[in-house]
Every structure is written in C-alpha cells, then in structure tokens.
Amino acid sequence: MTNHWIDIKNSDCILIMGSNAAENHPISFKYVTEAQQKGAKVINVDPRFTRTSSRADIYTALRSGTDIAFLGGMIKYIMDNKLYNKEYVANYTNATFIVGKSFKFKNGLFSGYDSKKRKYDKSKWAFAMDAKGVPKMDRTLKNSRCVLQLLKKHFSRYNTKLVSKITGTPREDLLKIYQTYAASGATGKAATIMYAMGWTQHTVGVQNIRTMAMIQLLLGNMGVAGGGVNALRGESNVQGSTDHCLLWHIWPGYLKTPRASNVSLDAYNKKWTPKSNDPLSANWWQNYAKYSVSLLKSFFGEKATKKNDFGYSWLPKVDDGKAYSWLDLFDEMYKGSIKGFFAWGQNPACSGANAGKTRKAMERLDWMVNVNLFDNETGSFWKGPGVNPSKVKTEVFMLPACTSVEKEGSITNSGRWMQWRYQGPKPLGNSLSDGDIIIALGEKIKSAYKNSGTFTQPIRNLKWDYLTNGEYDPHKVAKEINGYYLEGPKKGKLVESFGKLKADGSTSSANWLYCHSYTEKGNMSARRSKQDAPNNIGLYPGFAWCWPVNRRIIYNRASVDLKGQPWDKKDWVIKFAGDVKGGKYVSKKWVGDVPDGGWYPLENPDGSKREDAKHPFIMRKHGHAQIYGPGRADGPFPEHYEPLECPVEKNLMNKQRINPVAPIYKTKADAFATCDPKYPFVGTTYRVSEHWQTGLMTRPQPWLLELQPQVFVEMSEELAKLKGIKNGERVLATSARGSLKCTAIVTKRFKPFKIAGNTVHQVGFPWHYGWRWPESGEEESANLLTPSTGDPNTRIPETKAFMVNVKKI
Amino acid sequence: MSKSFFVDTTLCTACRACQVACKQWHDLPAEETKNRGTYENPADLSFDTYKLVRMREEVIGGKLKWLFFPEQCRHCVEAPCLDTAGDASAIYKDAATGAIIFTANTKGMNVDEIIESCPYNIPRKGPDGTLAKCDMCLDRVQNGLLPACVKTCPTGAMNFGERADIVALAKSRLFAVKKANPKAALLDTDDVNVIYLVAEKPSLYHKFAVASNAAFDITRQVALRRMFTPLTNIVSRLL
C-alpha cells in the first residue's frame, strides 16, 4: 500500500476491483464503511457478485482477464472529458516528457519486439533528452510526442462500445463508474483502489496495476489522504517478507540480485545506480552503493573489507536474462534438474498453479524438508491421490514449526507498518520458531564446512551472531536489520536512519528501508501510542513503525501544490510551514506526516521558482511519476491482451491475442486450451472469509470447516440449466491439466456474459482445499485446474483466468 | 433499564466472525455440515448453534441483493418463553441486563410448547431435552466485557449497550439509511432487546425476522393459561 488501512476512511470514492475485501480482508471494511457513512461512494467490479458487492453503492461484472480494457476505457473517458488534474499531471508526472522517435505501437506490438526471443528491446522506448541529458519536457502538454498526447492516442481505441464487447460489462455501467470515479480528479477530492490477486494473477498482472496507477496519477490521487494504490496483502506479513527479499530477483530493501555480468561490486553498483542530470531530481537511488555495501557488511561483518569487495564475490549471481521464480523452479524440478527442496511455511502441492505438475515435480527430488505447523499435502505428496509410495524415491523430512503467537518478532502489514509482537505461550512439543530452525541449520552447515568443502568462504565468513544464552534472539536480528555504526565515534551504536549509511564499509544495515526501526531510542515497532498526528487523519505516528522513516503515506510531497500547501485543506497529509520574508520562504519546516524529503517546495509564495527544491517523486530517476513506464517487460503503456487460455478467437483490441512476452512453459504437464469445445467456460479461483491460504490452519479447525465444509464451484442459474446441474450436487470440473470434484453452488451472483455477441459463461472455485483434510480426502485443490503461465515481469501465475468444463458426475 | 443489541444489517458483510466467536466463547462443538449449495451453514440454529447468519439472494427492483441477517435470540422485553415455562429456575430474566436465560432445568419441561411460544423460533432442544439459545454472553457482560459476537464484529453491524443508548443509535442509523433505502425499518423495537435495522422487506431476510402479528397476543394468552396451569409443569417434571 502507498497509503495504509486506516487511511481508507479518508476516501471520497473507493474502487474495489481485483479484490474481494469484505470477504478476504474483513477488517478493512471497518474503514470502508466508515468512509461510506461519511458519504464516500463504494464501487465494486468483479466477475461474480460477492459479499463485497452486497455493500457497494455501484456493482458491475466483467469477464475475468479484461481489466485493462475496462480501465483503459476509463483513461479514455478522463482524457476525452478533460477530467484529469492538469496542475498535478503537468508538474508531478512524466506526462510532459517527450518520447523518442523510435517508440511506436502497431498491431498490438510496441517497437523493439523480437518474436523469436518473445522479448522487447526496451531502448526503443526511451525519452528524448536535451543537451544536458535531462528528458525534454513540454509543461503545456501540447507536443504531439509528449506522454500525455501519446497516452490519449493509445487509449483512443478504448471506446465504451468496444470495451463492453470485450469485458461483457454493460456500457451504461461503464459510464456510471467512469463518471463516479473520475470525479476525484477535482482538487481536494481523493479516490482509492483496493486490489489484490484478482489483478496480479494474470499474464498482464503488472500492467493491470499500472493502468490503475496511471488513472490515480491523472486524477491527482497519489500521495494524498484517501488515495494511493493499495495492494491488500494475502498474509499478515507478505509485505515484510517481500521487503526482506522473499522473491528471487531482489535483495533486502529492493536492491537487485546480482547478474553474472555484474562481475565486481563496482560493476554491480554502477549497473544499478540510476543517474539523473536534473538538479531538481532527488534521484534517491543514487545512494544505491551505500545500501548494498551496508548489506554486505551485515552479512559478513569484519570479513567484508574494501579489499575483498566486501565479500561480493561470495554471493550467488543469477544468469542474465534467466528467471528463477516459483514457476521456473518447479519447471526445473519437473525436468529433474533440482535435487533438494526446502518447503518452508508453504504448501505448493495445493497453492501453486498447475498443482498436478508441482506434485509430479516433487517425485523427482532426492530429498525434501517440509517446515510447517502441521503435515500437509506437500509433506505427504508421496502418498497423495494417484501416487504409489513404493515408486517415489524422495526422502521427506518434517520439521515442526511453532505458530506465530508462540514466538517473538515483527510482522509488516499491507500498510508497511512493522509491528512488534511478544511471545504468548511457549512452543508446543518439539516445535521451534523459524529463527531457531534457521540458526540450528546454519550452525550445522558451518561446522560441516569448517575443515573442508568447496567454496567455503561464504559459509565460514557469514556473521551470524544472533544468539543470546544459546538461543535465537529476535532483537539481535531486528537490530542487525536496522544497522550499526562500525567505525568512528559512534562505533557499536545503532544507526539513526538510512541517510547516515555509508558506502565505505563504516556502517552495516541488513535492510536499508528498515534503518530507523530499531535505534538507540529503542524498538520503534513496539510503540503503542494512540495519539494521532496534528492533521488528525489517522496516521498514529507513535503506533508501531512504518517504512520508510515512519512515513505513513508515501509520495506525500505530491499532496501539496508547488508552494507546499495541501490540495485538500481538510484531510491534509503535510504542509510547508517555513517562515516567509518578502514573498520567499526563508526557513524549512514541514508539518503533518514525515515528508518525502524535507527540501523546500518547488515555488515560493510569490510564485518564483526555487533552485534548492526537488520534484516530489524522489524514488524515480527523473523525480516524476511514470504515466509512461519504459522499464516494464511488456511495454511502456498497458494494452489489453487476452489470458493465455481464453474464450475468444481474436483479441478485439489488437492483432495479438495474448501478451506477446508472457512466459510459456513446455513440459508434458503444461497443456493449454483456447476456444476448445472441451473447455468452453471461463474459470477463476478465489478465497472465502472462512478459510485461509491452502486451508492448512483452517481446514482442521471444526468451527471454520462447519461454515465452509467442501470445495465448491459457483455458476449461474443459466449455466446450471444448460448442463442439467442441480444446486448442491457434486459435479466434475476439468481443465486441460486436471480435474476436480466439487459441490455446485447455483447462484444469481454469477451471470453469463455477452462477449462480442456470444454468450460466455464463467465459473469460480475457492482454492483452500486439499486431500489431507477433511478426512474424506474428497476436497481437493482448485489449483489442479490452473495453468502455469504468468506475468512476464513478476511471473506470478495466471490463476485468475483459464478455461474449464463442468459436468454432472 | 436493560441492555440491548443493535444489529445494523446494512453494515453486515456476513464474514460470520460473530457465528464463530459465539461457538468459541460458549465452547460449542462444530456441527458436521455439507455444502448445501449456499454459503449459509449450519442449516439452522441448534442446541449447539446459538447464532446463525442467514444469507439470502433476492432480486429487488431489478437489482440483485445479498441480504444478511445475523440471527439470535431477541431477549424479549416480555418474553413469551419465560411466561410459558412459568418456572424461574428454568427460564428467568436477569434483572440487571434483561437477558433471558435458559438453565439446565429446562430439561423435562414441555419444551415443545416453549419453542412454540417463541415468536422468532429461537430455542432448540438438545438430545436430552434441555433447551439452549443465546445467553447474551451474560458472564462476559457481568464482567464488563462486550458479548463475543459484538466484540468480534469488524464493521459495526453488531452493537451493544444500555437500552436507551442503543435505541437512540438505532433511530439515528434508521434516519441515515432511510435516505437511500425508503423501505428501511427497525424491527419490533419496543418488544425486544435485539433491535435489527433492515433495508428491505423483513421477510426477505428470514421468515422469522419479525414476530407475526399474533405473537405477542399469544403471550397474553399464555400468561392467562399459566394462571391455571402452574401445577402441570411440576407434575410433568416429577413424572
């Protein structure tokens, strides 16, 4: 979230699309209903009428996988009716930038496409630069090659007639929603988006979110209270684990995983440190080397020296151009090239797309270690449905982990709030906390490498001093994450904030973003003050701690005008309160939230420009938010492409049916079917309030199983009639990859779509089930049906749109 | 003055945390259920289920509505069940809160008549003939805590407090909700201590959302009858 949970209450219009907040983030509705009672409009767009829809002021349906068409129509509406916030767009976004001549878009392809490699040459999308190396800009927005004009042209095709044909959403509903949402373009108004996996889990996942981010920028909704782009995370600590490098392509704090071509620390830092020639651009990532060196110092301590590149060469590098995501790892495992696997706090036998492939892949392992609260479908895959245990060579070890309440540590929620949690009861039986398991494992590996081994330095030199009285100490780890002064007068003290980190090895920090979370003042995340900030918008700055530097709303420098005064006088986030003399600011002072950089505003009260100011989007190279995003794998503007499996022969928007750079896997287990009469219906997966994730913690819980006892498929009354299916009877769902027995819920909440004149039916399944529990073994994972393809940027799987059949058993 | 609930169905998201919290606080076992082609489960209130969120899909004025009704005992101001039982050791009203409490002594009484007397069809019979239903979490309330269902509700659909405050809250919410929902109404406010706010016709939410017109008249009949039958219950229990 750029904003945070409580801030939802400040919104004037809440779009819930790509998420089902009432069911899957029930507490968020405390703030949604609060906003609604103050007059905010709640809009819900979902293929199926949900518990969220029941509370919305406006609900409409769209076919799964057509969000870019839907939102692209909104961009066109905003442009045609000039509803964008011109002052905001012209000053704070790259709408004014002039795009170079090599950028083109034709027949659904951007310039630079290599059809053999299924890849773009992104250099074709670059901005035109002036003599000083700063992007050329036209603040009047009139230049035909400026981003705003290109945007207008790009989305001119997204008229409501065509959008309606693609999405199946009635035109009058499109217009009503466009009109309601776009009203937030007025100065002082804010609209927010609550999205989740309904947007990310597509072959166009990143571009779904980009389309919305662009709308938020056009309407001036970034950085303001009640605005932002807000991802509702699916677990209490997904944000924290991502910050601390859960994903393969990043190091802690969103530093890059080194590529093989980054042959030295210097080469690595050079490659990933952006350069701006604009004196008004803070270009915060220019500090990259301070953070990467502090991280290496945190890994290797005194063993990391300037002479040995701070141990850079000891760390693994990934091959250039190769992906190592979940989909890729299980693809490799399936092909037999991965021999061992730690399944730690996860249940891939049920949670991953194409679960049948995942289960088969695990049979090809030599060993697997399953670290979890309970045995699950992953740990027991060797005795799962259709598996002959005598034919499986994999040796499986189970390490029982304790639950979250049995250990001390922190979680970071969707709103980036790091909250310290104390230990409740002690771990049961021989279960251990993850920290204790990792430390024990690390010690064992270290002792194995003590006297011999290949490439021993990374193991031997690892600085792991996190024990107190022989036990894992979460405070020591939290302090390490914050970082220490290693030299000078403050040697041994905790660093106050990341502004103090150095690239010379004199500081450590295991995650620069968290530098400020645990200082000499104490554990900031353990604070529990209930006092609000002076602006009274629910920031509660003394409750827990928020990255970066306790800033509760990021990009908040965009919530003020050029003179530093808030667009929204009532629900303001920050405002400049420095002294004025002769029409000029003469002292620096911001009040409210922690500002996104404490520089002077861009203009003085008398309208004169200041040389010592910075553009508000400080994390962007050029200081401007990106309506045009030349860094993405699939294009600088979003474009509608159909899901890899879809019910239409042709993409009505352009000549490419699917995302031209979507990853395609080619094992025997990767079957796909488009417009195949065997699989005529659109399928999607989702969650219910009553279960969590693969249900490992909820299926064995009788009170929750009582509420949602069986895997089901929801379908319209029309489809049920067509297939002769009765409400409540067991049916068989099939896809090109697998099958699933489930109970039919025949409901008015699904309606057939009219897609380009044809009737298209959609059905949906919850993915919380698995054969280990309930005891019947009959309630299986819906991921047996889903395809292993995904987004080309993130490789999140496309489990939200695929093709299935359903029939009576 | 008694305590009252205000159940604002216009804020309910049917997350059913109240249903689970009720089971948890009262340590009630889960029922073995099947998916019946609906999310609503179990199928009905029971000896082990005091609270149940009813979920109804209705097309009203051409628009689909999903109506949620967290059903529970209304803790009637003049409780027909109490009058019917006529035995304060089995069913009594807690003086401080107005909670209508069923005890183990309901076992052996003419429980079908007690069930029949309830205008909201709430009490349920256990395997040994004991009756059970919502007890307002009296043990929590007496210790200064909110009832479990209210404590757990994330949206403000479930509210609890002094009757005068709750009635005022209910009326102010009715006023606000009526602007967009002219059919909105408070249900049986004067007769019950669990006041529901609904936006549509009550019967669409649940058959027993409001008491039938005759229900509280029956109370009077029962009261009258009780004058003549105090011995019947005692005799039947002795047998």
Side-chain angles (χ1 to χ4, degrees), chain A residues 168-279:
Chain A
T169 311
R171 280 174 85 183
E172 55 275 21
D173 285 4
L174 290 172
L175 280 166
K176 194 171 169 194
I177 289 169
Y178 295 167
Q179 191 184 6
T180 307
Y181 198 85
S184 68
T187 299
K189 291 282 171 202
T192 190
I193 169 66
M194 297 167 71
Y195 77 91
M197 268 74 108
W199 268 1
T200 56
Q201 292 183 341
H202 292 278
T203 42
V204 292
V206 166
Q207 297 288 6
N208 278 337
I209 294 143
R210 255 194 60 68
T211 319
M212 192 66 215
M214 291 158 62
I215 291 172
Q216 289 298 68
L217 288 171
L218 289 169
L219 298 173
N221 284 331
M222 294 306 294
V224 302
V229 172
N230 295 304
L232 315 183
R233 303 301 204 154
E235 292 190 43
S236 55
N237 200 18
V238 162
Q239 185 62 52
S241 54
T242 311
D243 299 339
H244 292 303
C245 93
L246 173 80
L247 302 172
W248 72 271
H249 67 296
I250 44 178
W251 274 1
Y254 304 92
L255 301 176
K256 307 284 183 185
T257 304
R259 270 54 180 175
S261 60
N262 309 152
V263 292
S264 65
L265 179 61
D266 197 40
Y268 166 76
N269 282 333
K270 263 206 188 107
K271 168 77 186 168
W272 302 114
T273 307
K275 271 206 187 59
S276 165
N277 294 323
D278 184 347

Side-chain angles (χ1 to χ4, degrees), chain A residues 22-23 26-27 29-31 33 36-37 48-51 54-55 57-58 176 686-690 701-712 714 717 727-728 743-750 779, chain B residues 8-17 19-20 23-25 27-42 48-49 52 55 57-59 63-68 152 154-156 173:
Chain A
E23 298 196 38
I27 311 298
F29 255 63
K30 179 182 170 71
Y31 306 108
T33 46
Q36 206 170 20
Q37 286 181 49
R48 166 188 64 130
F49 189 103
T50 68
R51 284 177 259 190
S54 79
R55 294 277 68 95
D57 297 294
I58 306 172
K176 194 171 169 194
Y686 39 70
R687 308 185 188 206
V688 296
S689 306
E690 297 81 3
Q701 215 302 328
W703 294 324
L704 296 174
L705 201 62
E706 175 193 89
L707 296 173
Q708 290 286 12
Q710 291 178 293
V711 63
F712 57 80
E714 285 177 290
E717 291 169 343
N727 192 26
T743 304
I745 294 184
V746 178
T747 172
K748 292 178 168 52
R749 295 178 296 100
F750 254 127
E779 311 305 325
Chain B
D8 187 344
T9 67
T10 70
L11 298 180
C12 177
T13 56
C15 72
R16 301 195 283 181
Q19 206 177 311
V20 175
K23 290 226 158 178
Q24 185 175 20
W25 183 256
D27 206 11
L28 294 168
E31 300 187 34
E32 271 195 39
T33 55
K34 288 267 169 208
N35 187 312
R36 303 173 294 120
T38 168
Y39 286 16
E40 186 185 293
N41 242 333
D48 294 326
T49 301
L52 178 63
M55 305 169 82
E57 294 166 19
E58 295 289 342
V59 176
K63 276 179 83 175
L64 179 61
K65 305 264 178 182
W66 205 358
L67 305 175
F68 308 133
T152 199
T155 61
R173 278 295 296 159

Side-chain angles (χ1 to χ4, degrees), chain A residues 506-554:
Chain A
S506 64
T507 57
S508 71
S509 174
N511 189 333
W512 71 276
L513 266 184
Y514 282 74
C515 186
H516 187 262
S517 63
Y518 205 133
T519 65
E520 293 298 326
K521 287 184 194 158
N523 184 352
M524 308 287 273
S525 68
R527 298 176 308 160
R528 291 293 182 269
S529 163
K530 288 178 185 165
Q531 175 131 24
D532 203 352
N535 45 4
N536 226 12
I537 55 169
L539 301 178
Y540 299 101
F543 186 95
W545 176 88
C546 169
W547 68 254
V549 290
N550 211 30
R551 183 175 299 133
R552 304 279 156 149
I553 296 180
I554 50 180

Side-chain angles (χ1 to χ4, degrees), chain A residues 201 347-359 377 645 683-688 693-695 699 710-714 730 732-743 763-771 773 777-788 797-806:
Chain A
Q201 292 183 341
N347 190 8
C350 293
S351 66
N354 200 353
K357 179 181 176 182
T358 305
R359 293 175 187 188
E377 289 78 5
E645 287 191 332
T684 192
T685 61
Y686 39 70
R687 308 185 188 206
V688 296
Q693 306 289 72
T694 63
R699 281 185 275 131
Q710 291 178 293
V711 63
F712 57 80
V713 55
E714 285 177 290
R730 290 292 267 187
L732 185 72
T734 53
S735 78
R737 294 155 297 279
S739 64
L740 179 74
K741 276 186 203 156
C742 43
T743 304
V763 300
F765 313 84
W767 60 275
H768 300 293
Y769 295 86
W771 59 270
W773 198 265
E778 292 289 317
E779 311 305 325
E780 260 284 26
S781 171
N783 275 316
L784 291 166
L785 304 173
T786 57
S788 31
E798 186 161 63
T799 55
K800 290 295 170 268
F802 50 95
M803 298 304 290
V804 294
N805 199 355
V806 283

